[in-house]
């Protein structure tokens, strides 16, 4: 996961680095300090460079504290923070060099790079061709979806309908996606404001419904998160022999 970042830093072993391997981390940290971060004076880096010492983990924690690293628990998080610090310092040291890279320069480099042909047929589609537009409009007509002037927005609407109403679970259990109950007459109700135009008022009512739907989806996700946490924290094990409840 750090390959691109370490490659940008010109780390010699970027292709083989494993952030979960302490031996790999022991090699990386002194290199970052010597080449990029430079928190300590050269003579003060000996303990950090002595990767075979039993005291190295404590030295590493002290180093993290000195560079202002957040109190992470996982080794991977600590390594990611250090690499991010090194990248920021590298940019600050050579900001003029990187600012000189314009979009035209990037484009010329991209054009000089070898082209890679994808085997995915979707990557070879022309999304602006007439055939593609006709296909999207035919799909929208089949699904009874109004066509938008932008065919890509129409395609997005088709995708949402298919994902929500035509997924395998919905096909096997159609009743789960059929909306029941009496429709709410939103167009006949007053929403508490008047924009001075009937068309704008209708649009505002539709936006209000969409906003309420977003809030409902957010509340559902919050409820799911609460249930997940409770399933972990609200399940103590009881030791009847001790006469107390505990993990």
């Amino acid at each position: 996961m750090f390959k691109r970042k370490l490659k940008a830093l010109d780390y010699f072993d970027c292709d083989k680095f494993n952030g979960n391997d302490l031996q790999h981390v022991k090699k990386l940290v002194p290199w970052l300090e010597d080449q990029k971060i430079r928190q300590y004076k050269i003579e003060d880096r000996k303990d950090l460079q002595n990767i075979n010492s039993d005291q190295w983990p404590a030295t590493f924690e002290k180093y993290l504290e000195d560079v202002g690293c957040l109190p992470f628990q996982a080794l991977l998080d600590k390594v990611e923070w250090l690499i991010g610090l090194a990248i920021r310092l590298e940019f600050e040291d050579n900001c003029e060099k990187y600012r000189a890279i314009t979009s035209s320069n990037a484009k010329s480099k991209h054009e000089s790079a070898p082209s890679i042909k994808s085997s995915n047929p979707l990557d070879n589609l022309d999304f602006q061709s007439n055939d593609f537009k006709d296909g999207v409009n035919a799909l929208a007509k089949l699904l009874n979806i109004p066509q938008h002037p932008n065919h890509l927005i129409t395609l997005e609407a088709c995708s949402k309908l298919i994902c929500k109403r035509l997924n395998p679970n919905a096909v096997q259990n159609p009743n789960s996606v059929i909306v029941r109950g009496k429709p709410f007459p939103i167009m006949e109700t007053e929403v508490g404001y008047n924009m001075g135009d009937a068309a704008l008022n209708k649009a505002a009512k539709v936006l209000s419904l969409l906003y309420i739907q977003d809030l409902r989806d957010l509340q559902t996700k919050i409820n799911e998160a609460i249930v997940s946490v409770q399933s972990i924290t609200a399940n103590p094990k009881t030791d009847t022999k001790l006469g107390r409840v505990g993990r």
Side-chain angles (χ1 to χ4, degrees), residues 105-141:
N105 292 337
K107 183 178 180 181
S108 61
K109 291 182 179 180
H110 175 73
E111 291 175 349
S112 62
S115 60
I116 300 176
K117 294 184 178 180
S118 173
S119 59
N120 187 347
L122 295 179
D123 293 335
N124 299 320
L125 287 178
D126 182 1
F127 297 102
Q128 300 299 328
S129 67
N130 292 330
D131 290 340
F132 184 81
K133 294 179 181 179
D134 293 341
V136 171
N137 293 333
L139 178 61
K141 184 177 181 180

